[in-house]
Structures are given as C-alpha cells and as structure tokens.
Amino acid sequence: MMRIDILTLFPRMFEGPLGESIIGKAVEKDLLEINVHNFRDYSANKHQQVDDYPYGGGAGMLLKVQPIYDNLKAIEEATGNQTKRVILLDPAGKPFNQKMAEEFANEEQLVFICGHYEGYDERIRSMVTDEVSLGDYVLTGGELGAMVMIDATVRLLPEVLGNQSSAKTDSHSTGLLEHPQYTRPAEFNGMKVPEVLMNGNHRLIEEWQLKESLRRTYTRRPDMLGTLEMTDEMKKLLAEIKLEE
C-alpha cells in the first residue's frame, strides 16, 4: 500500500478531490492511505503563526521552517525508516510530467508540502527530495498542484484502474499522443467510424492506431517527436503523414 502525506494550511480543500472517483476507490480498497496534515498545528508560536517577514526585506511573507520541520518529524516517527519522496510544490521547481508520475508511483510513501504566501524559508529545501512545479504559472498555493500530481500518480498504481493496460497506452505514457477512438453508433450526423476499426483485422487496426497517434503528435505536439525513439515502421508512417499533411 502506498502512503501519501500532505502538509497544507487548507486541509478541507482535499476532502472532495481525494474522496471521489479513482482515488476514493483506491482508499476504499486499501491500496492507498492518505493523511492530510495542517502544519499550523505544529507551530511553536502561541498564535500558531506559520509565516514571517523575510530577513533583508522584501515583499510578502515566508513560510517558517519550524512548523514544517516538526510536521515532517512527526511523520517520520509514525512511519519509521520507510522510503519516501518529500515533494515541495514550488513554481521554481522541475516541471511535472508523466515520467515523474511513473517514478512517484514506484515509491512506498510520498509527502507533499503545499506552500502559500510569497515563498519558503530556504532551509525548508534541505528537508525535501524533489522541488516540483505544475507548470510555468503561479497558483495561490500548492494544493491544486498536489491534487493533480496525486491523481496522475495514483492511477498508475497496480489494481487501481479497472483495466491496467489503459494507463500504459495513455497519451504521454507511450511518448505519443493517443490515437482517435470511437464507440457506437457507427454513424452519427453523417460522421462515420473509420472502416478499418470495424473490419476485425487486428494488424491493420494496430497500424492505423500507431499512424494516427503519430499524426496527432506531429500536428499538435511535434516537440514530443524529438525525444521519441522511433522504429523503422514509425519512420515510414511519419513520412507518409508528412506527405498527407
């Protein structure tokens, strides 16, 4: 079972997203344990203050090191020497992607630190293994970013998805965007399902799916092709696509 701990000033933000859908079912099946901590509870200040003005001046307030340290220490005491990744949500961190989600899914325990205010006391960084950003923009706090990363990670755990192969063929997991997909009816408002998907020839279907994955990636995210290790078949199909487009 994976254990996830979340350090936040707004624990109620996680009640809905982490209690529903795939994540909620994973918890119900005892595949996942989630613990949400309000690190304000660990403040040594009588007013439970968790932020303060920066030394040397500057705009805004910084999260203090002591509440974070004591909260992490309490988690350590509860879990012992269990291997863990401690993830600091930070706009200056490494951008989150599918490869990182796959790495996280192999861990015994993940700890997410959700920041607020103008930033962190620099000494907090010495307590983490990863500094991660959801993207090149700034959110009010780290909570939404943590939810996205948890969702992307948990769905990769064994037995969490009903059809585990679906996670392996998702967009970005294969290095390509996913090919177009269709369900019944075979025709709707004049729009027809491609004939190749209904003829039962699995070899032709797989070739079509690969080609359309390549086409979608080429037209929408050509940057992804630069890092893809392509087979001879993929090179041939991509050449056809370039002529067709």
Side-chain angles (χ1 to χ4, degrees):
M1 178 194 295
M2 172 182 276
R3 170 172 171 145
I4 294 178
D5 290 88
I6 303 163
L7 279 62
T8 175
L9 293 174
F10 301 96
R12 287 193 298 174
M13 288 183 68
F14 293 90
E15 291 176 2
L18 301 190
E20 300 289 340
S21 189
I22 296 298
I23 298 177
K25 290 177 181 177
V27 173
E28 289 177 7
K29 294 177 182 177
D30 292 326
L31 301 172
L32 175 68
E33 176 186 348
I34 298 179
N35 302 278
V36 183
H37 310 267
N38 187 338
F39 61 84
R40 190 181 298 280
D41 296 337
Y42 292 86
S43 174
N45 184 283
K46 66 179 181 180
H47 301 296
Q48 291 191 303
Q49 184 179 354
V50 295
D51 62 319
D52 212 335
Y53 294 103
Y55 280 116
M61 307 283 277
L62 299 180
L63 284 178
K64 294 160 62 75
V65 62
Q66 176 271 316
I68 300 292
Y69 173 82
D70 283 355
N71 198 163
L72 290 175
K73 185 178 179 182
I75 294 171
E76 187 74 31
E77 291 172 352
T79 59
N81 295 322
Q82 181 166 297
T83 304
K84 59 178 67 65
R85 297 277 283 269
V86 182
I87 301 148
L88 186 72
L89 278 293
D90 187 355
K94 185 178 179 180
F96 183 72
N97 58 24
Q98 186 67 21
K99 182 180 178 182
M100 198 178 295
E102 291 168 1
E103 289 180 12
F104 288 170
N106 289 319
E107 300 293 335
E108 293 181 67
Q109 182 180 1
L110 301 174
V111 180
F112 292 88
I113 302 175
C114 304
H116 263 270
Y117 308 113
E118 197 64 27
Y120 301 96
D121 183 305
E122 189 67 18
R123 290 165 290 189
I124 292 173
R125 299 184 192 278
S126 68
M127 306 171 193
V128 309
T129 59
D130 302 87
E131 298 178 29
V132 185
S133 168
L134 192 59
D136 293 335
Y137 46 87
V138 180
L139 298 173
T140 304
E143 285 76 13
L144 293 175
M147 292 177 203
V148 170
M149 294 177 197
I150 291 169
D151 185 277
T153 299
V154 168
R155 66 191 306 278
L156 299 175
L157 298 178
E159 300 181 48
V160 167
L161 291 183
N163 181 359
Q164 197 59 34
S165 64
S166 65
K168 298 177 182 177
T169 58
D170 282 339
S171 293
H172 301 288
S173 289
T174 62
L176 295 170
L177 297 182
E178 196 166 28
H179 54 78
Q181 298 187 81
Y182 302 85
T183 188
R184 291 179 289 186
E187 181 176 349
F188 181 76
N189 284 352
M191 298 178 286
K192 297 181 179 180
V193 174
E195 185 65 32
V196 66
L197 298 179
M198 299 187 290
N199 64 17
N201 188 320
H202 294 294
R203 185 187 64 79
L204 291 179
I205 290 173
E206 288 175 3
E207 181 180 287
W208 181 89
Q209 290 173 337
L210 176 58
K211 184 173 182 178
E212 294 310 308
S213 284
L214 281 164
R215 186 190 307 277
R216 182 162 283 182
T217 307
Y218 173 70
T219 57
R220 299 186 183 185
R221 288 291 306 277
D223 57 295
M224 292 175 63
L225 296 176
T227 59
L228 184 66
E229 188 173 334
M230 300 185 69
T231 64
D232 290 340
E233 181 188 13
M234 293 167 74
K235 291 176 183 177
K236 172 178 172 293
L237 292 173
L238 183 58
E240 293 176 6
I241 290 166
K242 289 179 178 180
L243 289 174
E244 293 166 3
E245 295 293 329

